[in-house]
Every structure is written in C-alpha cells, then in structure tokens.
Amino acid sequence: MTTMKRERRKEAPDKREEILNAALSVFVEHGFGASRMDEVAKRAGVAKGTIYLYFPSKEELFKGLIENVASPPLEALQTLVDTSDADSEQLLRTMFAFVKRELLGTERRQVIHLILTEVHRFPDVARFYYENVVSRALGFLRTIMERGVARGEFRDCDLVRFPQLMAAPLPMAVFWSAIFEPFAPLDVDRFMDTHLDLLLTKLKVKS
Amino acid sequence: MTTMKRERRKEAPDKREEILNAALSVFVEHGFGASRMDEVAKRAGVAKGTIYLYFPSKEELFKGLIENVASPPLEALQTLVDTSDADSEQLLRTMFAFVKRELLGTERRQVIHLILTEVHRFPDVARFYYENVVSRALGFLRTIMERGVARGEFRDCDLVRFPQLMAAPLPMAVFWSAIFEPFAPLDVDRFMDTHLDLLLTKLKVKS
Amino acid sequence: MTTMKRERRKEAPDKREEILNAALSVFVEHGFGASRMDEVAKRAGVAKGTIYLYFPSKEELFKGLIENVASPPLEALQTLVDTSDADSEQLLRTMFAFVKRELLGTERRQVIHLILTEVHRFPDVARFYYENVVSRALGFLRTIMERGVARGEFRDCDLVRFPQLMAAPLPMAVFWSAIFEPFAPLDVDRFMDTHLDLLLTKLKVKS
Amino acid sequence: MTTMKRERRKEAPDKREEILNAALSVFVEHGFGASRMDEVAKRAGVAKGTIYLYFPSKEELFKGLIENVASPPLEALQTLVDTSDADSEQLLRTMFAFVKRELLGTERRQVIHLILTEVHRFPDVARFYYENVVSRALGFLRTIMERGVARGEFRDCDLVRFPQLMAAPLPMAVFWSAIFEPFAPLDVDRFMDTHLDLLLTKLKVKS
DNA sequence: GATGAATGAGCGTTCATTCAT
DNA sequence: AATGAATGAACGCTCATTCAT
C-alpha cells in the first residue's frame, strides 16, 4: 500500500531479459545439456512455466540467448565496417581492438565457449548460429580484405578466401581461457596483437 | 575353481581395453552427455554391470578414456623433431603435413573435438591434458622456431612466444568440421596451407 | 459505473452462452481430457479468466454444457409421437428417418459420442441424462410399440420390454463413425434401414 | 537362506502379466488418459522404469492390454466357428451364450467400455483394435451367416452385409452397465436373448 | 466484471547405477 | 568375475487455475 510496495515494478526489467540473463548464467555454469529449466526459472525469479511464455523450448531459449548476446557486437561491427573512413589497416586494427575488448574481455567469451561446446548436438541451433553470427562476422572480415585489395592497400592473397584464418585465434583464446587459464594463463591481448601483426605482415608486403 | 585363477587373466583380451575402445567410439559419436552406458556395453560386448567393475562411474570412464588417446601422434612428432635434419622451413612443412594427415584427416579429428567440448567439466583431466599433450605439442613448435632463429633461417618475432598462434587453425578446423560442415564445408587442406604460408611469410621476411 | 449495471446484461449477447457454445465445439473436437481452456476461451472470444467467472472449473463447464444439448430433438420426437396419426409401422419409419437425419446425419452424432465417452466420469450428469433424455427417448419407442400392439398392428413380444434393443444401433453407429470410419467406413443409412427391417420383420409376423 | 526366503519366486507370476493386470485395473478405474504410470507401477509392485522394460510407452501398454484381454475369447470363438458341427442356429446360440458369459459377465465388459471411450484419441490403437479384434469378431458372425445361408438354414438378407447389427447390443449393454446400472439396471442376459430371438426370427423366415 | 500473465503441480519417459543370481 | 533386470531420481514441458490490474 505504500509507494514502495513493489520494488520490482520500478525497474520492470523486462521478464524476457531476466530469463535470458538467468539462462546465460546457468548455461555458462553447467553447459546447455546439464542445465535445468528449474534453475533458470529460480535465478530469473519466475515460475518454471513462465519461461515457456517467452520461449517455446529449452532449445529456443538457447537460440534467444545466442541472438541476445551476439546482436550488439554484430551491429557495432556492421556500423564500423559500413561507416569507417579509415584506411584498411586501421580498420582491421580497430576491429581487433573491438574483439579484444567486447568479445574476449567480457562474459561473451564464455558464451562463445558455451556455444562451441554445445551446439553440435543441435543442428538447428548450429545452422542458426552460422547464419546469424558466424557468416556475418566472417563477411565483415572478407569485406575489409576485399576493400583493402581493391584500394591497393592490401595484397591479394588466399587470406581473402579464408577469413576463418583471421578469426582462428578466437576459438583458441576462448578455449584456452576456459580450460587452461588456472595453471597456464594466456596473455590474450598480446596473443591477438601478435596475430594481427602476422596478418598485416602478409597483407602489406608488396607482391 | 581356484587353480584357474591366473589363467583367466591371460585369456581375456583385456576387457578393460575393450570397454575403453567402445567408450571412445560412443563418446566421439554422441558426446559425453548423450552417450548411454547401454551402448558402450553393447559395443564392448559386455553387460552393463561389467563396466562398473572396471570404472566406478560414467565420469571416471570418460576420464580414463580421454587420458589415453593422445600418445601415438605425440611420439611421432617427437621423433620428427628430434631426428630431422631438414632445414626449419622444411621441418615446419613436414609438421603441418603430419597434422593434416594424422589429426585432421582421420577420425582423430573427432576425438579432438570430443576432448575440446567436454574437458572443461573435468578440471583434473584438463591439467593432465595440458601437461602431457598440449604443452608438449606447443613445445615442438617452439623448438622448431627457436632453432630456426638460432640458425638464422627464421626471423625472431613474437610468434616464438605464442606457439598457440601457430596451432590456432587446429581448433578452428576441428570445430568448423564438426558444426558447420554440412552446410558450409571448409577445405581444411588449403586452409592449413594458407596458414602455413602466412607463418612463413612472417618468419622468412628479412627484418 | 453503477447506473449502467442493468444495461450491460442486455447488450452482452449472453457471454455464458458463448462460452458454452465454444466449449461444445472444443469438447466435441478433442474430448474432455484433451480440451484446453485456452482454446475454449479463444473460440468464445473471451479471456481465459472470464470462463471462471461463469463456471468454477473445467468439470463444471463440461457438466453445464452436457446438460443443455439434448432438448430440441426430444421436443421434435415428442411432437411426432403425440400428434402423428400414421399407423405404427409408418410412425416407426418416420422415427428412424428422424434419427438418421437429425442425429446421425449432423454434428450431433459427435455430441452423442462425446457424451457417451465422457459421462461415466460424472455420475450426477449420468443420472440427469438418464432421467431427462434416455428414459424419455426410450419411452417414445415403448409408446409406439405398446400402441402398435394395442391396435393389433404389432405383435406382442419382448421388444416391448427392451426398447434399448431398438436403439442399440445408435451407439454402434456413433462409435463406428468416430473410431473406424477412416479405414472401415459404414453406410449408416443402410445400416439403420436394415435394423428397421429387422424390427418390422419381428413386429409384423403373425404369431 | 531358508527355503521360504522369497515367496515371490514361488509364484513368479510373470512381471509382464503383473503389469498388464495393474494397468487393467488402473485404466478401468480412471480411464486411459487420467491414469498415471506411477499408479500402474505401484499396483504392479514394480518401479516406474520397470514398466518401460516391457512396454515402450503408455500407448503400447494399452495395446498390450487390449491384446491380452481380447486374445483368449477370440481364440475360443475361432475354435468354435472352425470346429463346431452344430447347425447354424445352434452355433449362433452358442456364440451368444459365450458373449454373455465371457464378455458381458466378466471384467472384460469394463475393458470394452474402456476401449470404446478412450480409443478415438489414438488412431494407432484404433486401427490395431479394429484389425486384431473387431474385424475378426465380425468375421465370425459373417462366416456363420454365410454358412447358414449356403446350407439353406438361414435366409439371405442384408444382415449378412451388416454383422455390426448382430453385435449392436454389445456396446449398448456395455455402456448401459457402465453408466446407468446403479439407478436403472438392465437384465443383460434377457436383453441379449431378446436380440438373438429378433435375429433368428429374421433369419429363419422363409422368404 | 474482464483480463491474461503467471503459477506450479503433475506426467511420461530416460538412464546411470545397483544387486541378486 | 559377470550378468542384466530392476530401480527411482531427474527432467522438459503442459495446462487448469489464480489474481493483480
């Protein structure tokens, strides 16, 4: 009856979002298969059935989670690639900085690990992830390279056909952090920098 | 009933080994969570209960299995690195050929995938793996590079400090094959060649 | 808010009736157990909660519904039996024609099926049904027969004591249609005609 | 250690049979849909999972139950029809006596009711029931009639084409017993006798 | 009265593990 | 040692019912 009666309402943090956050933490902690909807519900502060008002199944919840986590950085990258007027080297440097900061430097790193370890048993999700995330991200890399070649800033080489090679340190870093970090830490920043240097050495050499 | 006690062990084609082999194939096919002890038993040709005479639980079976599958390729690499009298570039090329043929070109690729996807749930296995497999393999790479630099064949660069970078395409290729192959195939051989070319461009440039 | 109290009831096209109609169609389609209140609400054009303003539970909704669906055909039969001046055979033929046309030839067939399959779970509905529907309908048959015997048109036989026998093809036809129709269709019209012929053969034989 | 240690073993009443009996009593009591596997297990004196060692699903358990209940009388009828050397009227009388005694006079009556009320939601089971029970039983009736006609004992009439008509009192009796028995009992024996008389009146008249 | 988001008990099914033989 | 029938806890999902608005 007082004005504070329901603190929840003040924030009204979108129940869907709450569920996604809860799912994120539970899935990251236990993996998708070992996570129980009961626990997602408990952490989200809702009843089990409520989850199913927002997501038709556990698998769709997983998809929603992927989308939720991947969208902001993808949009940011899209904007970067579309609007930057820097030269290609600078653009690539900016992109690597972004990946270090936004992907490897946040909990998103764990989500990538989650996806990579769980997705193979759900072909449906795998396809979704490929089409909505992976191919878009690789497309950005390919665009940068093709543009660099067209402008005469980059050398034309097989890297253009294998953007996966430019992205290869990402899974390595993600897995290393998730598995070996406690006893064999990796300086992810310098690791990425070294890779960037490797790429630029190739791309900038006059052929 | 008692005088036969010793002979029995001789005849048995090592039931423990049979179970481990069966487990390997089942786990590779379905992953840890989705594998059923029933199927392991069936493939091993034993009763379900028998597995529990050799391994106290499904987890221990997995651990026992995973600690036993990396030795042969490592021995081959050890020999290669120790005995080759080729120049450093040639040695690196031989090593890449070996990885393409023995790791990525066989079912071992799926074993690597299995390990990468499941090992984070077994920290002690992770440690075992790091110490006995990963650090040894990375050590080979580091050795080749250091030797190359010492001989003046390779340029001294940060790659020496990040052998993980030379190995980064391995997890990428393994995951790509396991997850996206059906709808976005990757030419793993050319993928690895391109990476090798990338490395050599860096290592061979006169600074 | 209060002066409108009476008018509301006038405008509303009897929401209770809407719900009952919706419930009838849903229950007929799926049976009691498989019917969802959600769908009843949707077909009635009301919110789920609204149903509970008119019926305290799904069971009571079903009971309210089932007690209200048998009257019109009974009134028609009542009129038929009371006013017809045809001879007894003709009256019986008219009655069978009515049953074929009005019960077996319309969706009412499915309503009968619904009642027969679900009523055993609601003993008070069963009693209501016996007293208000079944015994009345059987009474018509008995009346026709007794009158036929009294007039010397029908032979006096045990059929008079078992009007259920004259009605027995009804449940058979209803169930056959509901269960076996797709792979073993029954020509219900000729089925009923054959039964009528059977009855008349008995009733008209000079003893 | 004593000889009585496990009384269970003495009877060893076939766990599958125990489960079927339990299922019979539970399904008859609550209907198929409302029955819980938990309760079947409890009444069978086994764990829930044990049921699934014998039946792959609740629906298959239902099928097993139907088969189990229907087989013995069907075999008996088969033998009767195949081996009897009585005349057709006598054979029909024997058959009706059998139905009265073995179907309507035992718990099988309730199983028939169960099937008729539940089967329409499981097209699979419906087909199974039609093919394994209904069409066989109707086949017996048709055989008797055709044989009777061929021998000149029965009149050739539409009854031959509608054996369902000869069986029509069965669902009527089953439902009456299940629904109205408490307040309007039906003398099922005389009911069936009257029907038989009705049939014979038709079949024996010289056309 | 009317709404519909939220609830949570309930169910069929699975499968790692046990244990009497 | 070896078996495999039996166990029962666990889980994803449903849906009748409630209740704050």
Side-chain angles (χ1 to χ4, degrees):
Chain A
M1 299 283 185
T2 74
T3 52
M4 293 294 283
K5 190 183 170 190
R6 310 209 160 272
E7 293 128 326
R8 276 179 234 140
R9 211 193 312 163
K10 275 202 287 185
E11 308 163 55
D14 198 352
K15 203 155 286 192
R16 196 188 133 92
E17 212 66 26
E18 297 265 287
I19 292 167
L20 283 171
N21 287 337
L24 173 60
S25 93
V26 177
F27 287 177
V28 160
E29 193 165 312
H30 300 109
F32 176 78
S35 293
R36 294 180 288 116
M37 293 299 262
D38 263 325
E39 190 167 359
V40 174
K42 203 199 302 180
R43 288 203 202 174
V46 302
K48 199 174 10 170
T50 305
I51 299 175
Y52 290 87
L53 295 177
Y54 295 90
F55 302 93
S57 70
K58 195 186 179 193
E59 199 173 322
E60 289 299 320
L61 174 58
F62 193 20
K63 279 193 198 170
L65 173 59
I66 293 174
E67 199 167 20
N68 200 53
V69 169
S71 269
L74 281 174
E75 295 313 316
L77 284 176
Q78 181 84 61
T79 303
L80 179 67
V81 173
D82 287 351
T83 68
S84 170
D85 55 359
D87 64 41
S88 293
E89 175 177 344
Q90 194 50 50
L91 188 52
L92 204 55
R93 290 187 181 281
T94 307
M95 197 159 181
F96 265 68
F98 181 88
V99 167
K100 290 196 300 185
R101 180 167 28 87
E102 298 294 329
L103 301 190
L104 294 171
T106 69
E107 67 181 355
R108 288 200 187 94
R109 195 189 62 232
Q110 292 159 278
V111 178
I112 297 172
H113 181 247
L114 170 68
I115 293 169
L116 289 176
T117 53
E118 304 282 356
V119 90
H120 62 109
R121 240 162 308 167
F122 307 93
D124 195 34
V125 180
R127 178 148 223 147
F128 175 87
Y129 180 57
Y130 176 73
E131 283 170 2
N132 292 280
V133 182
V134 172
S135 75
R136 270 185 83 187
L138 293 181
F140 295 150
L141 289 169
R142 191 181 278 115
T143 299
I144 292 174
M145 281 189 292
E146 285 172 346
R147 196 194 291 169
V149 171
R151 289 179 184 165
E153 295 166 334
F154 282 167
R155 172 154 68 147
D156 189 10
C157 64
D158 270 354
L159 266 182
V160 182
R161 270 175 298 284
F162 290 109
Q164 294 98 331
L165 220 44
M166 306 183 75
L170 199 57
M172 174 59 93
V174 161
F175 273 91
W176 196 283
S177 302
I179 300 176
F180 305 133
E181 196 61 32
F183 41 86
L186 176 70
D187 183 338
V188 172
D189 263 32
R190 290 202 57 195
F191 175 72
M192 294 301 290
D193 290 344
T194 306
H195 183 65
L196 178 57
D197 174 61
L198 187 63
L199 294 176
L200 287 171
T201 300
K202 177 75 187 186
L203 290 169
K204 295 195 319 189
V205 164
K206 303 271 156 57
S207 64
Chain B
M1 295 275 189
T2 50
T3 54
M4 298 290 282
K5 192 179 165 193
R6 291 245 131 198
E7 278 161 326
R8 243 185 263 144
R9 214 185 305 165
K10 273 193 251 171
E11 296 169 44
D14 206 343
K15 205 159 284 196
R16 192 173 187 278
E17 211 63 27
E18 301 262 296
I19 292 169
L20 282 172
N21 286 337
L24 176 60
S25 90
V26 175
F27 285 155
V28 159
E29 197 163 310
H30 301 111
F32 175 75
S35 292
R36 294 181 292 113
M37 295 297 263
D38 262 323
E39 194 168 355
V40 174
K42 191 163 60 166
R43 288 201 201 175
V46 302
K48 212 183 340 180
T50 306
I51 299 176
Y52 287 87
L53 297 175
Y54 295 90
F55 302 92
S57 72
K58 193 188 178 191
E59 288 207 357
E60 290 303 321
L61 171 60
F62 183 70
K63 286 159 75 169
L65 154 66
I66 235 173
E67 289 180 358
N68 267 345
V69 290
S71 293
L74 279 176
E75 297 315 318
L77 282 177
Q78 183 82 64
T79 305
L80 183 68
V81 173
D82 288 352
T83 68
S84 171
D85 55 359
D87 65 39
S88 294
E89 175 178 342
Q90 196 49 51
L91 187 52
L92 203 55
R93 289 188 182 280
T94 306
M95 196 159 184
F96 264 68
F98 180 87
V99 167
K100 289 198 300 184
R101 180 167 27 87
E102 299 295 327
L103 300 189
L104 294 172
T106 71
E107 60 164 15
R108 259 194 279 263
R109 196 187 62 231
Q110 292 159 276
V111 180
I112 298 174
H113 182 245
L114 172 67
I115 294 169
L116 285 174
T117 53
E118 307 286 357
V119 83
H120 63 106
R121 253 172 286 190
F122 307 93
D124 47 338
V125 176
R127 174 149 227 143
F128 172 91
Y129 232 75
Y130 175 74
E131 283 166 3
N132 294 280
V133 182
V134 174
S135 74
R136 260 183 91 189
L138 294 181
F140 295 152
L141 289 168
R142 190 181 279 111
T143 299
I144 292 173
M145 281 189 292
E146 284 171 346
R147 195 194 295 168
V149 170
R151 290 179 186 165
E153 295 166 331
F154 283 167
R155 173 156 68 145
D156 188 12
C157 64
D158 271 352
L159 266 181
V160 182
R161 270 176 298 284
F162 290 110
Q164 295 98 333
L165 221 43
M166 305 183 74
L170 195 59
M172 174 58 93
V174 163
F175 275 93
W176 196 281
S177 301
I179 300 177
F180 305 132
E181 195 64 30
F183 40 89
L186 177 69
D187 182 338
V188 172
D189 263 32
R190 290 203 56 196
F191 175 73
M192 294 301 289
D193 291 344
T194 305
H195 183 65
L196 178 57
D197 173 63
L198 188 64
L199 293 176
L200 288 171
T201 300
K202 178 73 186 187
L203 291 169
K204 297 194 321 189
V205 164
K206 306 270 154 59
S207 62
Chain C
M1 296 273 187
T2 50
T3 54
M4 298 289 284
K5 191 178 165 193
R6 291 246 130 196
E7 279 160 326
R8 239 184 267 143
R9 211 185 305 165
K10 272 192 251 170
E11 295 167 45
D14 206 345
K15 205 159 284 192
R16 190 171 189 279
E17 210 65 25
E18 301 261 297
I19 293 169
L20 282 171
N21 286 336
L24 176 61
S25 91
V26 176
F27 285 153
V28 159
E29 200 165 307
H30 301 111
F32 176 75
S35 292
R36 294 182 293 112
M37 295 298 264
D38 262 322
E39 194 169 356
V40 174
K42 191 163 59 167
R43 288 200 201 176
V46 302
K48 213 186 336 183
T50 306
I51 299 176
Y52 287 86
L53 297 175
Y54 294 90
F55 301 92
S57 74
K58 193 189 179 191
E59 288 208 355
E60 290 302 319
L61 171 60
F62 183 69
K63 287 158 76 169
L65 155 66
I66 234 174
E67 290 180 356
N68 267 343
V69 290
S71 293
L74 280 176
E75 297 315 316
L77 282 177
Q78 181 83 61
T79 304
L80 182 68
V81 173
D82 287 351
T83 67
S84 171
D85 53 1
D87 64 39
S88 292
E89 175 178 344
Q90 195 49 51
L91 188 52
L92 203 57
R93 289 186 183 282
T94 307
M95 198 158 181
F96 265 69
F98 180 87
V99 167
K100 290 198 300 184
R101 180 165 29 87
E102 296 296 326
L103 300 188
L104 295 172
T106 72
E107 59 165 16
R108 257 193 281 262
R109 196 187 61 231
Q110 293 159 277
V111 180
I112 297 173
H113 182 246
L114 171 68
I115 294 169
L116 285 174
T117 52
E118 307 286 357
V119 81
H120 63 106
R121 251 172 289 191
F122 307 93
D124 46 340
V125 176
R127 174 151 225 142
F128 172 90
Y129 231 75
Y130 175 73
E131 283 166 5
N132 293 278
V133 181
V134 173
S135 73
R136 258 183 91 189
L138 294 181
F140 295 151
L141 289 169
R142 192 182 277 113
T143 298
I144 291 173
M145 281 189 292
E146 285 172 345
R147 197 194 293 170
V149 170
R151 288 178 186 166
E153 294 165 334
F154 282 169
R155 175 155 66 145
D156 189 11
C157 65
D158 270 354
L159 267 182
V160 182
R161 270 176 298 285
F162 289 109
Q164 293 99 332
L165 221 44
M166 306 183 76
L170 195 59
M172 173 60 93
V174 163
F175 274 94
W176 196 282
S177 301
I179 301 176
F180 305 133
E181 196 62 31
F183 40 86
L186 177 68
D187 183 336
V188 173
D189 263 32
R190 288 201 59 195
F191 175 72
M192 294 302 289
D193 292 343
T194 305
H195 183 64
L196 178 57
D197 173 64
L198 188 65
L199 294 176
L200 287 171
T201 298
K202 176 75 188 188
L203 290 168
K204 296 194 322 190
V205 164
K206 305 269 155 55
S207 62
Chain D
M1 298 284 181
T2 76
T3 52
M4 294 293 284
K5 191 182 170 188
R6 311 213 159 269
E7 291 130 326
R8 273 180 235 141
R9 211 193 314 163
K10 274 202 289 184
E11 308 164 54
D14 197 354
K15 206 156 284 195
R16 195 188 133 94
E17 212 66 26
E18 297 265 289
I19 292 168
L20 283 171
N21 287 336
L24 173 62
S25 93
V26 177
F27 287 177
V28 161
E29 193 165 314
H30 300 109
F32 176 78
S35 293
R36 295 179 288 117
M37 293 299 263
D38 264 323
E39 191 168 357
V40 174
K42 203 199 305 179
R43 287 202 202 174
V46 301
K48 197 165 24 162
T50 304
I51 299 176
Y52 289 86
L53 295 177
Y54 294 90
F55 302 93
S57 71
K58 195 186 178 192
E59 201 173 320
E60 289 298 322
L61 175 57
F62 193 21
K63 278 194 200 170
L65 174 59
I66 293 175
E67 199 167 19
N68 201 51
V69 169
S71 269
L74 282 173
E75 295 315 316
L77 285 176
Q78 182 85 61
T79 303
L80 179 67
V81 172
D82 287 352
T83 66
S84 170
D85 53 0
D87 64 41
S88 294
E89 175 178 343
Q90 194 48 49
L91 187 53
L92 203 57
R93 288 186 183 281
T94 307
M95 196 160 184
F96 264 68
F98 181 87
V99 167
K100 290 197 300 184
R101 179 168 28 88
E102 297 295 328
L103 300 191
L104 295 171
T106 70
E107 67 180 357
R108 289 199 186 95
R109 197 188 61 232
Q110 292 160 278
V111 179
I112 296 173
H113 181 248
L114 170 68
I115 293 169
L116 289 176
T117 53
E118 304 284 354
V119 89
H120 62 108
R121 242 164 305 170
F122 307 93
D124 196 32
V125 180
R127 180 149 222 144
F128 176 86
Y129 181 58
Y130 175 75
E131 284 170 0
N132 292 281
V133 182
V134 172
S135 76
R136 266 185 86 188
L138 294 181
F140 295 151
L141 289 169
R142 192 181 276 115
T143 298
I144 292 174
M145 281 188 293
E146 285 172 346
R147 194 194 292 169
V149 170
R151 288 178 185 165
E153 294 165 334
F154 282 168
R155 173 155 68 145
D156 188 11
C157 64
D158 271 354
L159 227 30
V160 181
R161 270 175 297 284
F162 289 110
Q164 294 98 335
L165 220 45
M166 305 183 75
L170 199 56
M172 174 59 92
V174 162
F175 274 90
W176 196 282
S177 301
I179 301 176
F180 304 133
E181 196 63 30
F183 40 86
L186 176 70
D187 182 338
V188 173
D189 263 32
R190 289 203 57 197
F191 174 73
M192 293 301 288
D193 291 344
T194 305
H195 183 65
L196 178 57
D197 174 61
L198 188 64
L199 294 176
L200 287 172
T201 299
K202 178 75 188 187
L203 290 169
K204 297 196 318 190
V205 164
K206 305 269 155 57
S207 61

